[in-house]
Amino acid sequence: MVRSTLGLLFLSAAAHAVPEGFTIREFVGTAQEPEIYPTAVSAAANGDVYISSDKNGSLGHIKGMGRILLARDTKGAGKADVMIEYTKVESPRGGHFVGGVLYLVHPPFLSKFQDKDGDGKADYDSERTLLVDGLGGGIEHPRGADHTTNGCRMGIDGWLYIAVGDFGAGLIRDNDGAIGLGDKKRVTLYGGGVMRVRPDGSELEIYTEMTRNICDVAISPTLDLFSRDNTNDGKGWNTRFHHFTSLANPGYPRLYKNFDDEIARPLADYGGGSGTGGLYLSEPGFPKGWGDTLFTCDWTTGTIHNHPLKPFEATFVAQQQTFHKVPRATDIDVDGNSRLYIADWRAGGFSYLGKGKQQGMIQQVVVDGVKPNQYVDVTKASDADLVILLASDSAVQRLEASRRIIDLKKTGLAESVLAVAASAQAHLHHRVAAVFTYKQLLGAGSTDGLVGLTKDAAVREFALRALADRTTETKGVPVQPFLDGLKDPNPRVRLQATIGLQRLGAKETAGAIAAAAATWPADEGKLEEGAHYRLPHTAIHALEHLGNAKPLVEAAKDPAQRYIALRSLQLIHTADSVDGLIELTKTGDDALRAGAIGALARLYHVEKPWNYKDWWSTRPDDRGPYFIPAEWEATPRIKAAIEAAYAKLPAALRMATLELLAKNRIAITELKLEGVDPIRLAMATQTLRPADLALLVDASLQASRKWEERLDCYKAVLKVEGDAGLEPRVKVLAGWSKDAQAPAAATQAISDFIYEAERGNQVNKLRSMANKAEDAASTILWKALLNVLGSPLTKDQHKKAVRDHVDKNPRDIGFFHAIADLGLTGFDKQLEEGMKGDNVIQINAAKAALAAGKLAAASKGKKIAQLDAKVVANAVLKGRGNVKAGQKLFTQQGCVACHAVDLAAEQKGPYLGAAGAKFPREYLVDSILDPNKVVAQGFQTVVFQMKDDSEQMGFVTGEADGVVTLRNIAGQVSKIKRSDVRNERHLPQSMMPAGLAAGLTVEELTSLIEYLGTLKAIGG
């Protein structure tokens, strides 16, 4: 057994490089608490630190492993000298301590904990109040508290913003949405996003929907929300950096792949990684340029980043810099005395390591030479002082003062608070704090004062936001300030005006919104890198929620408003929307007719209602625009309208329209469309006839076609499974192999065929084909056969079948070419036979294969199986290998059976195309030598108990249309119907077999690691 190299992390000093002016020190280490397991950290204003500690990690299921640790530095030494178990709680995932209350997410719950008797503890039964139920899954879920709901943070508006992972929010037991206990309101969030709720558990609502697995939200003093998202392991959703605004839809998984133009675009795509905590620092007591800084954490890359932001339109352009390197950064927070706290999951995995094994650290970051802020205890402040503290330069102090005023219902201070909000001399952050304190203090009674503030350009956006902030308090709020705001020169005001009209339910303003939005810039073609428009996206979703289709149908007739109108109509599933669009298809304007068909294509389906049970997995169906499309009452009318309108389209618009119909997952073969290309029909059909297959093969080989089309035709050929699909596939791939200009995607397709584990079941068929094939096809077939023979994943009977064929001394040219290309040894007898006779081509091919084998054999050393595991690990960590040799080994060792390194390739097991950017060398070595030590999230072994009492075991690589794609220990793929599954359970073991590297030399393993280290493509 190899000693985990991750354990070496504890040997490094606590101090790491931080920017000049900062000092970092160990606040809580394993000396005070050996088993920290810090999922998150929340710093109270006074410097008490609340550590969410979960020994289960993300995948464990053991009860009683979660708790909140309270760490106190009573001596001011920068190190906790008092450790208290504040409360026991399952799956703590972080929260926010404010106003004497710890608001904590412990899925599926959001609760508030209060130490009412001053003993430093909050009893779970008597000092906890449940606020929300149904926020993802906890240890009761088969995956544990993984991809579930994570942190929460309170904004100055008093909302608790909750980071919901892609488990979503809903209650299986009720077959209904998550429930806010304050008013029993139900809300369903199918997937990731941001939800928010009032501190008493009322008014639960969705703020942003369709993210992946966010762990935290950072909130600025101006109520901008930010989060660093997680990758989906090779399917194109990378570490995205989001700016969340109300109604924003980042598009995971339904839109980001095929409807990218419809999403709220991220500020940046950072490639591989795993976003965790975040903090918007707005505090005095920091070096110049650092007091107003956005931080995010990345667990995989072990980095805490800072992000300079430049305002653009209603959003930002962001940069990324490295603030601090931490082995496993999970969270960051700040107290009211200018001290940062960092949670580090160092030396940990995805579950409990075992009793006595040290794990975790909390670090404190302070500043030298700058006077820190001195937090003022608001419980001891006078009324006058509370108002003064609202204008503190410390966001922590402002929030505490605001909560104190609101919690004590000090309505007598309302005029003083409004005066701060109206003060032109006050800093904007102070004025914003006052605006929302005033709103929360008076509720609906704040309307007149807030309307007055809308006349002040400096705080207009915040006054509008406050006016519409609580949908339970909008009675009597005038619409006119919002209509005026649609034309404001400040794009942030226009954003809040648009959102506000939607929250007011002002359906009559739909036409005005569409007209205004038509004047806002939308073309991003000439923008600087990282710049995106948010306003058009927000207007479309505001109009969707208002649902007033008739004025939008009229707006679509105006070319200037058409884009906004049609994009909105396609989201409104009502008779008015459908009937209006059908009428537009009858117009004489071809562009309008095509646009209306496109909108109807989206309305053809609705999202099938979620059953609150089935989850969409680590790599969900991302075809979109619905996760599971379902027909509805208007579908027959829409189908007839599309058929009639398509016939009237000019030829120039037909192909684009056909592609749009297919993209919306409408079965083109079921539509009666005039003059449709037979190849397009063949690509769209699910069951290929021989004539269809012949068309597709021919098209795949036509040099006159664009490679994109040829590749699409080949993908359609893949619908023919098993032996029946072998000959057409090989015919195409052989043709491509002879084309020196073939793109990387074509080469990848050839490689995928050769190394598919299914080849082991097809040995005799492959040999029969090779016997009759021309040289290029024969070479591909023999490469597949020789891979079956040499792969450590292959079953013995399949190896024997290939060996039997090889022992007959094949004389196929492809046999010799395959040996030469792969650099194989051990075929001397066959090669000697091949050099006999008078066939010069055959003789030369055999000679070339022999020479290649001798070259490969010259570099061989002792096998890993013959050496001590520790010696191997140390040698590989210190050594440097040959990248090209490592790349070849990656395929020869069967790695490609379960791992892709190209985003364009079929995604199987954990994506490795960004391995060098994501993982340290130690992690990669551990993963190969001891696979069970570092099982990748989302790829645990799953056992499906079928209804016929059989079992299927493997890891899930995809699920679509009710069919689960499962890959077993040999890399072979099977498909099972979800409806045939009785139950499923998750095992802690990896599906990657131990001993895969046993037949390699140390030099070969070093080269393999070297190759993986070079894979730093964006993604995964």
Side-chain angles (χ1 to χ4, degrees):
M1 179 69 70
V2 179
R3 181 169 70 95
S4 173
T5 51
L6 294 176
L8 299 175
L9 293 170
F10 273 112
L11 301 179
S12 60
H16 298 271
V18 287
E20 186 176 353
F22 291 91
T23 297
I24 189 163
R25 52 202 184 195
E26 183 179 302
F27 185 72
V28 178
T30 52
Q32 296 116 303
E33 175 54 56
E35 300 177 355
I36 304 174
Y37 291 85
T39 59
V41 62
S42 179
N46 67 356
D48 285 350
V49 177
Y50 293 82
I51 305 165
S52 293
S53 171
D54 186 8
K55 297 178 186 179
N56 274 320
S58 57
L59 299 180
H61 295 81
I62 305 170
K63 290 185 178 181
M65 301 293 271
R67 56 193 175 151
I68 300 298
L69 297 174
L70 169 55
R72 282 178 172 157
D73 174 13
T74 63
K75 300 175 182 178
K79 191 177 188 72
D81 51 73
V82 174
M83 297 291 297
I84 302 171
E85 187 174 86
Y86 181 74
T87 192
K88 288 185 178 295
V89 59
E90 301 290 6
S91 307
R93 284 295 177 272
H96 195 179
F97 192 95
V98 60
V101 175
L102 177 62
Y103 297 95
L104 180 72
V105 173
H106 52 116
F109 308 120
L110 168 68
S111 300
K112 68 176 184 179
F113 293 83
Q114 292 174 281
D115 174 14
K116 298 177 181 178
D117 55 11
D119 63 353
K121 300 180 180 181
D123 181 76
Y124 189 86
D125 295 322
S126 61
E127 295 176 298
R128 165 189 174 249
T129 302
L130 177 61
L131 301 179
V132 181
D133 187 5
L135 298 173
I139 60 172
E140 80 288 347
H141 196 278
R143 285 178 61 91
D146 180 35
H147 284 245
T148 187
T149 302
N150 295 289
C152 71
R153 184 171 288 273
M154 183 181 287
I156 194 64
D157 54 3
W159 288 96
L160 287 164
Y161 291 87
I162 308 164
V164 182
D166 45 349
F167 266 156
L171 283 163
I172 297 174
R173 68 170 187 264
D174 299 339
N175 200 37
D176 203 346
I179 183 170
L181 277 299
D183 55 7
K184 308 300 182 184
K185 182 181 178 183
R186 294 275 191 175
V187 179
T188 294
L189 177 58
Y190 189 11
V194 178
M195 300 180 78
R196 65 180 191 174
V197 69
R198 299 308 300 175
D200 63 354
S202 64
E203 302 180 48
L204 181 66
E205 64 181 37
I206 295 171
Y207 187 77
T208 291
E209 62 180 335
M210 291 175 68
T211 64
R212 191 174 187 260
N213 187 33
I214 60 172
C215 287
D216 202 2
V217 285
I219 308 176
S220 78
T222 51
L223 291 170
D224 291 288
L225 273 63
F226 303 91
S227 187
R228 188 183 191 90
D229 208 340
N230 278 263
T231 73
N232 68 340
D233 205 76
K235 291 199 74 180
W237 180 277
N238 306 319
T239 303
R240 297 194 173 196
F241 182 36
H242 300 293
H243 171 217
F244 293 138
T245 52
S246 182
L247 300 176
N249 185 329
Y252 184 86
R254 303 178 184 94
L255 301 177
Y256 82 98
K257 206 65 171 283
N258 294 317
F259 302 89
D260 181 63
D261 60 324
E262 298 184 22
I263 69 173
R265 297 183 184 276
L267 297 180
D269 181 328
Y270 294 130
S274 302
T276 46
L279 170 70
Y280 197 106
L281 178 71
S282 182
E283 297 295 320
F286 287 89
K288 186 177 181 180
W290 286 99
D292 192 60
T293 302
L294 173 60
F295 292 99
T296 63
C297 305
D298 195 293
W299 185 92
T300 297
T301 63
T303 310
I304 295 177
H305 296 283
N306 59 290
H307 300 271
L309 298 173
K310 180 177 72 174
F312 173 78
E313 198 232 24
T315 179
F316 300 90
V317 175
Q319 297 177 348
Q320 175 170 274
Q321 299 169 355
T322 297
F323 174 73
H324 181 40
K325 295 295 289 186
V326 180
R328 288 288 179 260
T330 55
D331 203 7
I332 182 171
D333 204 4
V334 67
D335 65 16
N337 296 297
S338 309
R339 296 176 297 215
L340 289 167
Y341 299 89
I342 294 168
D344 179 2
W345 190 264
R346 64 175 55 202
F350 299 119
S351 55
Y352 187 46
L353 298 176
K355 190 170 180 61
K357 294 185 178 180
Q358 297 180 347
Q359 198 274 8
M361 180 181 289
I362 305 296
Q363 296 174 332
Q364 185 187 75
V365 182
V366 295
V367 176
D368 299 321
V370 180
K371 183 180 179 181
N373 184 62
Q374 297 295 317
Y375 173 69
V376 176
D377 186 348
V378 295
T379 65
K380 300 175 182 177
S382 66
D383 286 1
D385 285 340
L386 286 174
V387 176
I388 293 171
L389 291 173
L390 269 182
S392 168
D393 289 336
S394 164
V396 173
Q397 184 75 75
R398 292 195 299 271
L399 181 58
E400 290 289 341
S402 177
R403 296 315 306 167
R404 185 69 175 174
I405 291 170
I406 294 161
D407 290 343
L408 296 182
K409 298 181 174 58
K410 290 186 175 291
T411 54
L413 296 178
E415 290 305 312
S416 299
V417 172
L418 182 60
V420 175
S423 173
Q425 287 72 45
H427 190 283
L428 179 62
H429 293 176
H430 308 164
R431 299 182 71 182
V432 173
V435 166
F436 287 97
T437 303
Y438 180 73
K439 165 64 180 177
Q440 294 173 82
L441 189 60
L442 295 186
S446 65
T447 297
D448 290 344
L450 292 172
V451 169
L453 290 176
T454 65
K455 300 171 184 177
D456 185 336
V459 292
R460 183 172 297 137
E461 68 163 291
F462 306 104
L464 290 173
R465 179 166 179 161
L467 279 166
D469 195 42
R470 308 276 293 276
T471 56
T472 58
E473 298 174 352
T474 56
K475 186 177 181 179
V477 174
V479 169
Q480 193 59 47
F482 294 88
L483 288 172
D484 294 340
L486 294 175
K487 302 174 183 177
D488 198 276
N490 183 348
R492 289 180 63 95
V493 172
R494 298 202 296 273
L495 180 75
Q496 293 306 324
T498 304
I499 294 167
L501 288 170
Q502 178 268 321
R503 293 186 65 78
L504 293 176
K507 290 179 177 290
E508 71 281 5
T509 66
I513 294 173
T519 68
W520 301 340
D523 183 3
E524 298 184 353
K526 296 182 179 180
L527 296 182
E528 65 177 294
E529 184 178 359
H532 302 290
Y533 293 119
R534 180 60 57 87
L535 284 171
H537 175 90
T538 305
I540 288 165
H541 286 283
L543 291 167
E544 172 199 1
H545 284 273
L546 287 173
N548 189 0
K550 288 184 177 180
L552 297 178
V553 173
E554 289 302 311
K557 298 174 183 177
D558 177 1
Q561 299 185 52
R562 185 168 298 159
Y563 171 76
I564 294 292
L566 291 177
R567 280 281 306 277
S568 304
L569 284 167
Q570 73 177 17
L571 302 175
I572 302 173
H573 285 80
T574 65
D576 283 346
S577 181
V578 172
D579 292 342
L581 287 166
I582 290 174
E583 287 304 311
L584 292 178
T585 65
K586 300 173 183 178
T587 179
D589 184 334
D590 287 333
L592 178 55
R593 179 184 290 114
I597 292 173
L600 286 170
R602 178 62 58 84
L603 292 173
Y604 195 96
H605 295 118
V606 294
E607 183 70 72
K608 183 179 179 180
W610 185 26
N611 64 6
Y612 298 93
K613 180 181 179 182
D614 295 328
W615 184 56
W616 50 29
S617 80
T618 304
R619 283 190 185 146
D621 186 342
D622 53 19
R623 290 173 292 174
Y626 306 98
F627 183 60
I628 303 179
E631 295 185 0
W632 62 301
E633 60 187 38
T635 298
R637 287 189 294 129
I638 294 172
K639 180 175 182 288
I642 289 174
E643 291 170 339
Y646 184 85
K648 298 176 184 178
L649 285 175
L653 292 176
R654 286 192 174 189
M655 184 56 69
T657 300
L658 200 62
E659 290 175 351
L660 188 60
L661 294 174
K663 195 163 72 166
N664 279 279
R665 292 164 72 179
I666 298 173
I668 297 173
T669 53
E670 296 178 8
L671 297 178
K672 297 175 182 177
L673 300 178
E674 181 181 292
V676 176
D677 179 1
I679 291 178
R680 290 282 166 182
L681 276 176
M683 290 171 64
T685 189
Q686 291 303 307
T687 304
L688 294 176
R689 301 167 300 178
D692 297 325
L693 189 57
L695 273 173
L696 291 168
V697 170
D698 185 56
S700 299
L701 293 169
Q702 285 178 358
S704 59
R705 285 185 179 271
K706 293 180 181 179
W707 268 106
E708 183 180 4
E709 293 178 4
R710 296 171 69 180
L711 289 162
D712 284 342
C713 289
Y714 175 73
K715 289 177 183 176
V717 170
L718 298 183
K719 287 184 283 192
V720 181
E721 298 179 343
D723 288 359
L726 285 175
E727 292 194 13
R729 287 183 70 181
V730 172
K731 182 176 181 180
V732 173
L733 297 175
W736 289 358
S737 72
K738 293 183 283 188
D739 188 343
Q741 305 301 316
T747 305
Q748 182 67 53
I750 296 170
S751 179
D752 286 345
F753 176 85
I754 292 169
Y755 295 104
E756 279 176 4
E758 181 62 19
R759 300 293 87 86
N761 295 322
Q762 300 166 331
V763 169
N764 291 332
K765 175 68 176 177
L766 296 176
R767 179 64 187 100
S768 174
M769 289 172 60
N771 192 47
K772 298 177 288 185
E774 49 87 25
D775 291 351
S778 175
T779 301
I780 291 173
L781 291 161
W782 269 111
K783 282 183 178 179
L785 286 165
L786 293 174
N787 177 66
V788 171
L789 180 62
S791 172
L793 296 174
T794 305
K795 293 180 179 179
D796 289 342
Q797 65 264 35
H798 296 155
K799 288 179 182 287
K800 182 180 183 302
V802 178
R803 174 51 66 185
D804 288 344
H805 289 300
V806 170
D807 286 345
K808 295 176 182 177
N809 301 327
R811 304 180 75 84
D812 309 14
I813 300 298
F815 173 65
F816 303 121
H817 284 172
I819 291 173
D821 290 351
L822 297 174
L824 300 179
T825 60
F827 299 94
D828 290 1
K829 176 187 173 186
Q830 287 75 23
L831 298 180
E832 288 171 5
E833 288 295 320
M835 288 185 282
K836 297 176 180 179
D838 58 0
N839 186 331
V840 176
I841 296 176
Q842 175 186 301
I843 292 170
N844 289 337
K847 285 181 177 179
L850 186 64
K854 288 180 178 179
L855 185 64
S859 61
K860 297 281 185 180
K862 278 191 174 183
K863 305 292 185 183
I864 286 173
Q866 300 171 287
L867 300 171
D868 180 77
K870 291 183 180 179
V871 173
V872 172
N874 288 332
V876 175
L877 287 173
K878 295 176 181 177
R880 287 294 175 264
N882 183 294
V883 173
K884 287 188 176 179
Q887 184 175 12
K888 184 177 286 188
L889 285 164
F890 185 81
T891 55
Q892 290 180 352
Q893 286 300 111
C895 306
V896 292
C898 293
H899 301 283
V901 296
D902 185 342
L903 287 172
E906 178 192 1
Q907 299 304 312
K908 308 160 189 172
Y911 172 68
L912 295 181
K918 289 173 64 175
F919 305 121
R921 197 176 181 93
E922 296 88 346
Y923 183 97
L924 294 172
V925 173
D926 262 357
S927 298
I928 294 173
L929 294 179
D930 189 4
N932 289 326
K933 189 179 294 297
V934 283
V935 182
Q937 284 180 293
F939 298 98
Q940 295 77 37
T941 302
V942 182
V943 178
F944 289 97
Q945 181 75 38
M946 310 304 290
K947 291 179 180 177
D948 64 2
D949 292 329
S950 65
E951 283 192 344
Q952 298 276 1
M953 184 169 71
F955 62 86
V956 175
T957 60
E959 183 168 353
D961 300 329
V963 177
V964 179
T965 303
L966 198 67
R967 195 171 287 264
N968 68 14
I969 195 168
Q972 294 176 328
V973 176
S974 60
K975 296 178 184 284
I976 59 176
K977 291 182 179 179
R978 173 64 71 175
S979 59
D980 291 339
V981 176
R982 178 178 295 142
N983 57 60
E984 66 179 273
R985 66 184 190 277
H986 295 242
L987 305 180
Q989 297 89 354
S990 170
M991 278 302 295
M992 180 174 168
L996 282 181
L1000 298 179
T1001 65
V1002 171
E1003 293 77 14
E1004 287 174 329
L1005 179 58
T1006 305
S1007 293
L1008 179 58
I1009 296 295
E1010 201 74 29
Y1011 167 64
L1012 294 174
T1014 67
L1015 301 177
K1016 298 183 179 181
I1018 287 181

